Amino acid sequence: MIPSYLIDFELSDLPVVETDVIVIGSGIAGLYTAILASEHQRVLLITKKSLLDSNTRYAQGGIAAVTAEDDSPLYHRQDTLLAGAGLCSSTAVDVLVNEGPVGVQELIRLGTMFDVENGELALTKEGAHSHRRILHANGDATGYEIVRALSIQVEMLHNIEVWDDHFVIDLITEDGECHGALVQMQDGKRVFVRGKATVMCAGGAGQLYRYTTNPEVATADGVAMAYRAGAEIRDMEFIQFHPTALSYPGAPRFLISEAVRGEGAVLRNIKGERFMHKYHDLMELAPRDIVARAIVSEMEETRSTFVYLDITHESPEMVKHRFPTIYETCMQYGLDLSTDWIPVSPAAHYMMGGIKTNLYGESSLRRLFACGEVSSTGVHGANRLASNSLSEAVVYGRRIVERIRTIAPQPEGLPAIGHNLGRKDGPLQAIVERRLKLQKVMVRYAGLRRNRESLLRASEELGRQLPFFQSSLTKREEYEFANLLTASLLVVQGAIRREESRGAHYREDFPERNDGTWQRHVLHKRDQEMTEEISDDV
Ligand code: SIN
């Protein structure tokens, strides 16, 4: 049983900090939402590390939006729906493709400098996009440029207060309404932050897996908190593995952008043979799930732990100019992207599911919103189209702020909320070991390919960790582990339930997509059985 709060507390014993809008997380969703909300309200932006530490910072490929004359929102819509494999919400996708271009203009207005060629925005292509529509910055450092520009704005705006290095432990809720958050400050003291709206922008869950392109901070905090608070969580079985992360002894699983394939790079097995023609007509630019599984099949067939990515047909000047970050990082390990084939393998990259929201980012709890990777707006379905995530954050961030403006302030007086399980002893096993064990279980039994037996094994292994929730937790590493455990259970339960293969969820024992039974979402709610909901993909 997962409790509603990670710690024992009495709200009336805690100091209270009042604001209008609480934003949790500092990736593109958090920064952008905070900036827009601050035009009319006081904002408190809380981040567990710094404004520059988030998944967004590592985004390379770019941001997808229709800006070229030969492109159209209709094409972008078709591509998104096709990649989403029958589980997108078509209305949510309509919003994304029609409002994405305005979102890009807003980022430019706020200081983001996208790459320009011959006086026009430079556009690249990525997997499953029918047109060149990916804007990028400094070649392959798009996320960093966005975070740089937005964090300068955040620091300048008087209506935004930033709490960095603060950890949000839980949301405070009563009768289906969110009142704010329980926060642990740098010195270990805890406070209750109260606001008329709380916007969860805490990002993804790459750290569920041993091999991930995500930074250390991606520990599923937002989705786990919202689940404990009683919000509806949707489609957690869909975890996207990026096909090409650097796979080299001593090197991190550094992302090698899909844009490298977009510019013509090919995949080769360790015998040097191209192989994607065996798997999909779009070859290296097939949807991500297909490329990732094709790579694993080739790795198995050739008994290797990697395949090669080859862009050596391009000139060294082009490679260095277009992919400076990737080039420099590979060089640190003695690999020259312009002359060497780069060893790559798939790694956990993106959580398609999350906190279920409507078209205004509202969750099933009143006054709780979700934006960015932590949310499940319906845009990504079973498989996110490359570079749609940054556009989703700005499009839905704007809508959330519009909705918050219409919300009444919290009533006077504090809710009488307390929680006491009589927890005493802290965790016995070292937290680092627990985390590593969980990540290995998820890779082995609930990874890119799963089956009922492996998933039941995962469930059993994770279930052994449940007593952790009964211990008295005080450190952020402990809260993070509790969040990883919560989210991994949701991934595994959803994956057991979905007896078919679709998008990023591949069941070896049910290898076909089954629209008759499974064009449905899986919903989780604490203390309730999982339920299903028919998809409105049309
Ligand atoms: C990439 O550059 O390949 C990552 C882009 C994305 O995940 O959307």
Side-chain angles (χ1 to χ4, degrees):
M1 264 282 276
I2 296 176
S4 44
Y5 293 100
L6 286 183
I7 59 166
D8 291 343
F9 68 97
E10 257 334 304
L11 207 57
S12 52
D13 293 344
L14 296 176
V16 183
V17 174
E18 299 267 358
T19 187
D20 297 323
V21 181
I22 304 163
V23 174
I24 303 171
S26 62
I28 183 171
L31 295 171
Y32 185 73
T33 309
I35 292 168
L36 261 54
S38 75
E39 285 170 15
H40 301 278
Q41 294 148 114
R42 287 171 305 159
V43 176
L44 176 58
L45 172 62
I46 309 173
T47 178
K48 68 176 176 178
K49 229 168 157 193
S50 79
L51 286 189
L52 291 180
D53 281 292
S54 65
N55 232 342
T56 303
R57 178 205 169 127
Y58 299 94
Q60 295 176 354
I63 176 163
V66 170
T67 57
E69 280 187 7
D70 66 342
D71 196 4
S72 128
L74 271 182
Y75 295 139
H76 191 185
R77 179 183 198 271
Q78 273 167 12
D79 297 344
T80 302
L81 293 177
L82 202 65
L87 271 200
C88 297
S89 153
S90 29
T91 45
V93 174
D94 284 340
V95 166
L96 176 85
V97 299
N98 289 309
E99 298 179 19
V102 176
V104 162
Q105 289 309 323
E106 279 284 278
L107 289 177
I108 294 172
R109 179 182 70 80
L110 293 169
T112 309
M113 291 193 282
F114 290 112
D115 292 338
V116 170
E117 263 167 24
N118 306 323
E120 305 274 330
L121 285 168
L123 299 175
T124 191
K125 202 164 181 234
E126 286 180 325
H129 283 274
S130 58
H131 286 69
R132 290 181 86 87
R133 66 168 72 95
I134 321 291
L135 290 83
H136 45 87
N138 298 321
D140 57 3
T142 315
Y144 185 78
E145 169 59 14
I146 292 175
V147 166
R148 180 202 65 77
L150 297 186
S151 52
I152 290 175
Q153 297 287 331
V154 162
E155 275 162 357
M156 277 181 345
L157 289 165
H158 299 303
N159 255 355
I160 306 181
E161 185 177 349
V162 177
W163 283 5
D164 53 13
D165 206 10
H166 283 58
F167 198 93
V168 180
I169 304 171
D170 266 311
L171 298 168
I172 300 288
T173 47
E174 190 187 37
D175 300 331
E177 178 157 22
C178 179
H179 294 269
L182 180 58
V183 181
Q184 183 151 312
M185 309 186 74
Q186 286 144 331
D187 59 6
K189 296 208 177 78
R190 293 165 179 166
V191 291
F192 168 39
V193 178
R194 187 176 193 239
K196 75 168 186 171
T198 302
V199 191
M200 183 60 79
C201 305
Q207 291 295 328
L208 288 176
Y209 291 88
R210 178 93 182 91
Y211 305 114
T212 176
T213 61
N214 291 187
E216 289 276 316
V217 289
T219 51
D221 303 324
V223 80
M225 273 187 260
Y227 176 76
R228 289 194 294 273
E232 277 188 322
I233 308 294
R234 182 163 67 177
D235 291 343
M236 288 295 288
E237 63 275 28
F238 295 109
I239 299 286
Q240 184 169 75
F241 284 74
H242 196 289
T244 56
L246 181 61
S247 181
Y248 195 68
R253 291 292 161 134
F254 179 74
L255 178 68
I256 311 282
S257 176
E258 193 154 317
V260 180
R261 278 172 285 134
E263 298 294 351
V266 298
L267 289 164
R268 299 182 186 278
N269 62 24
I270 52 154
K271 297 186 210 155
E273 300 158 346
R274 287 188 69 180
F275 55 83
M276 275 311 300
H277 57 277
K278 291 192 273 176
Y279 300 93
H280 200 280
D281 290 347
L282 290 173
M283 311 268 282
E284 277 80 2
L285 291 181
R288 273 190 189 167
D289 59 306
I290 291 167
V291 182
R293 283 197 300 277
I295 290 175
V296 171
S297 298
E298 290 296 313
M299 283 163 39
E300 283 173 354
E301 246 171 61
T302 57
R303 294 172 189 270
S304 169
T305 53
F306 58 85
V307 297
Y308 289 112
L309 185 67
D310 168 12
I311 191 169
T312 56
H313 65 279
E314 284 288 356
S315 69
E317 293 69 37
M318 180 278 179
V319 170
K320 287 181 207 168
H321 170 73
R322 184 64 188 79
F323 302 112
T325 316
I326 301 173
Y327 181 81
E328 288 301 326
T329 306
C330 288
M331 275 310 256
Q332 286 170 22
Y333 299 94
L335 299 165
D336 183 336
L337 184 64
S338 66
T339 54
D340 295 328
W341 295 352
I342 305 298
V344 292
S345 62
H349 184 59
Y350 193 85
M351 174 177 83
M352 261 76 68
I355 305 169
K356 182 187 162 188
T357 69
N358 64 13
L359 297 179
Y360 287 88
E362 289 172 299
S363 76
S364 61
L365 298 178
R366 294 190 303 287
R367 297 181 190 271
L368 176 67
F369 296 76
C371 189
E373 186 168 353
V374 75
S375 67
S376 169
T377 58
V379 158
H380 307 309
N383 190 31
R384 179 178 62 92
L385 185 67
S387 290
N388 265 355
S389 41
L390 300 180
S391 2
E392 182 197 37
V394 288
V395 164
Y396 283 88
R398 163 164 290 285
R399 290 179 150 247
I400 286 170
V401 170
E402 272 172 36
R403 187 49 56 100
I404 289 176
R405 284 184 67 184
T406 66
I407 292 184
Q410 292 273 14
E412 292 286 311
L414 288 184
I417 298 175
H419 179 77
N420 200 334
L421 294 180
R423 292 158 162 125
K424 287 203 177 62
D425 300 327
L428 294 174
Q429 194 187 357
I431 209 71
V432 181
E433 281 168 36
R434 282 184 195 261
R435 180 159 163 166
L436 196 60
K437 173 103 196 286
L438 179 146
Q439 292 171 329
K440 286 183 178 169
V441 165
M442 291 300 284
V443 167
R444 190 170 306 163
Y445 304 123
L448 198 52
R449 298 194 303 209
R450 312 94 189 247
N451 59 56
R452 182 170 171 79
E453 205 183 320
S454 74
L455 290 165
L456 290 176
R457 180 75 191 269
S459 173
E460 191 188 313
E461 297 269 355
L462 296 169
R464 287 207 198 106
Q465 296 286 347
L466 281 173
F468 187 82
F469 289 111
Q470 310 303 319
S471 10
S472 166
L473 309 181
T474 53
K475 303 191 190 80
R476 62 170 58 192
E477 295 77 18
E478 295 166 354
Y479 304 137
E480 284 181 340
F481 178 75
N483 291 336
L484 287 169
L485 183 55
T486 307
S488 58
L489 285 162
L490 298 179
V491 171
V492 168
Q493 286 159 7
I496 293 174
R497 181 141 179 144
R498 184 175 289 280
E499 293 188 329
E500 65 153 358
S501 291
R502 179 188 296 273
H505 170 71
Y506 186 80
R507 285 276 302 252
E508 290 162 323
D509 44 351
F510 294 95
E512 302 301 326
R513 173 167 153 177
N514 177 351
D515 278 342
T517 312
W518 274 111
Q519 200 164 8
R520 288 163 182 265
H521 301 282
V522 173
L523 293 172
H524 307 256
K525 198 158 179 229
R526 193 174 55 79
D527 293 343
Q528 290 185 16
E529 291 288 311
M530 268 179 286
T531 52
E532 288 158 21
E533 155 187 277
I534 294 179
S535 162
D536 78 345
D537 190 330
V538 285

